[in-house]
Amino acid sequence: DIAANEWLIGEDKALSPAKYFIVICAMFGNGQSSSPSNTEPDSQYDTFGGFPRITNWDNIRAQHELVTKHLGFTEAHAILGAGQTYQWSVQYPDFVKKIIPFCGAAKTSLHNIVFLKSLKAALELDPVYDNGHYAKKGTKPEAGQKAFARIYAGWGFTQTFYRKKLFELYGFKDLEDFLVNFWEKYFLGKDANNLLCMLDVWIHGDISDNEMFGGDYIKALNSIKAEALVIPGKYDLYFPPEDSEIEVDNMKKAKLLPCDSDYGHWAGGPPLGESHKDVDWLDQQLKEFL
């Protein structure tokens, strides 16, 4: 949600409200913007209990309308994020001056899709899910969401994170405690259709999948005008640096700077346990780039 994305913002940080007008947008399907959980089901859609499929293109088109028509922006000094950051740079190339893609990709890899489809199957195989129509029965697919969470647990952090038992820094007594009271608790707090809606966006993430580029991924990367600082997590199981190297090699003004962290996809993430070191490192890179 929006509040979960404020960890890099502060008067003493690179993203200082005293220096920049900072906008955080909730993506479609996350429960705060238009989502399956807060929108009346429409029978014309057979996805997510009666909610349409969304793409990164849809998200960025809406965000662009927000900042231009409603907030009066004529350009963005910088955009920080993951896949949507790349989408901004190809969809509105003259609007964006700098981008910082962080632990994300311009195109979802096949290996990543394997992970995402396992999550999707785990949730949809719960009979309570009922093709997304559980809410009108006053139920939720808890078994599916718990399975979803436990699959996620093996990908969100690294092998080294678990080998060192870094979850103990969070106050968890053992692995099972971590799985139940961190991962399961987190995903049980989400709406299942919302999760699958956002997961579908992730599966189909591809900056070249549109009429402008016709699936030509390299052409799409070549079109990016913005100066880019690409920061993958060195041990991120979703978005490895090898994929980021391909992106940087095909962009005009891009630099690759992996974050060396045992936290994997959470590299540079909110300051939990030792990861505050990652946050400090990331903040310094942003100060130098911006």
Side-chain angles (χ1 to χ4, degrees), residues 201-216:
V201 175
W202 187 350
I203 288 176
H204 295 95
D206 181 353
I207 60 170
S208 67
D209 187 15
N210 50 63
E211 293 181 0
M212 290 194 301
F213 303 109
D216 190 332

Side-chain angles (χ1 to χ4, degrees), residues 14-284:
L15 302 181
S16 170
K19 185 175 183 180
Y20 300 111
F21 191 108
I22 301 171
V23 180
I24 303 175
C25 297
M27 65 183 291
F28 291 129
N30 84 329
Q32 292 179 307
S33 185
S34 300
S35 307
S37 63
N38 59 27
T39 303
E40 189 68 25
D42 189 328
S43 60
Q44 70 174 305
Y45 302 115
D46 61 358
T47 51
F48 321 124
F51 189 82
R53 294 180 65 187
I54 303 296
T55 64
N56 274 331
W57 184 283
D58 298 323
N59 276 300
I60 301 312
R61 180 175 56 186
Q63 291 172 25
H64 181 264
E65 183 166 331
L66 168 68
V67 298
T68 56
K69 294 184 179 180
H70 297 275
L71 298 178
F73 287 17
T74 56
E75 67 177 34
H77 175 63
I79 295 183
L80 169 66
Q84 290 191 42
T85 304
Y86 285 107
Q87 188 66 43
W88 261 106
S89 64
V90 297
Q91 201 164 327
Y92 300 101
D94 295 317
F95 185 81
V96 183
K97 304 309 174 186
K98 295 184 177 185
I99 59 171
I100 307 103
F102 176 63
C103 289
K107 180 179 179 178
T108 304
S109 70
L110 292 179
H111 183 242
N112 199 340
I113 290 172
V114 171
F115 158 64
L116 297 171
K117 288 198 171 185
S118 67
L119 293 174
K120 182 174 185 287
L123 221 170
E124 291 183 337
L125 285 171
D126 184 336
V128 177
Y129 181 70
D130 190 24
N131 198 34
H133 299 295
Y134 55 88
K136 61 185 179 183
K137 301 177 183 177
T139 60
K140 61 185 298 184
E142 290 191 359
Q145 287 176 251
K146 288 180 179 180
F148 188 104
R150 286 177 177 251
I151 295 170
Y152 225 111
W155 287 71
F157 293 111
T158 66
Q159 294 92 336
T160 301
F161 175 90
Y162 287 104
R163 187 183 310 116
K164 292 183 177 180
K165 298 182 179 180
L166 295 181
F167 50 81
E168 293 179 350
L169 296 174
Y170 295 76
F172 298 99
K173 61 183 180 181
D174 54 31
L175 178 60
E176 186 64 17
D177 187 27
F178 184 52
L179 293 175
V180 171
N181 292 304
F182 180 80
W183 287 106
E184 289 186 5
K185 180 180 179 180
Y186 177 80
F187 283 109
L188 285 172
K190 305 297 181 182
D191 177 79
N193 279 326
N194 288 355
L195 289 172
L196 290 178
C197 179
M198 293 187 290
L199 184 146
D200 190 64
V201 175
W202 187 350
I203 288 176
H204 295 95
D206 181 353
I207 60 170
S208 67
D209 187 15
N210 50 63
E211 293 181 0
M212 290 194 301
F213 303 109
D216 190 332
Y217 177 56
I218 302 303
K219 180 180 179 181
L221 288 170
N222 288 336
S223 76
I224 295 175
K225 298 179 180 180
E227 183 181 358
L229 178 62
V230 180
I231 307 178
K234 188 174 181 180
Y235 306 108
D236 190 335
L237 298 178
Y238 311 141
F239 309 109
E242 293 83 358
D243 291 345
S244 299
E245 288 175 8
I246 297 172
E247 295 163 347
V248 169
D249 287 346
N250 288 282
M251 295 163 66
K252 296 182 176 70
K253 298 179 290 183
K255 176 183 177 181
L256 181 68
L257 187 65
C259 179
D260 189 353
S261 169
D262 291 338
Y263 283 72
H265 186 65
W266 281 49
L272 299 171
E274 288 187 341
S275 65
H276 69 273
K277 298 176 183 177
D278 297 346
V279 176
D280 293 342
W281 177 88
L282 178 58
D283 184 62
Q284 184 59 39

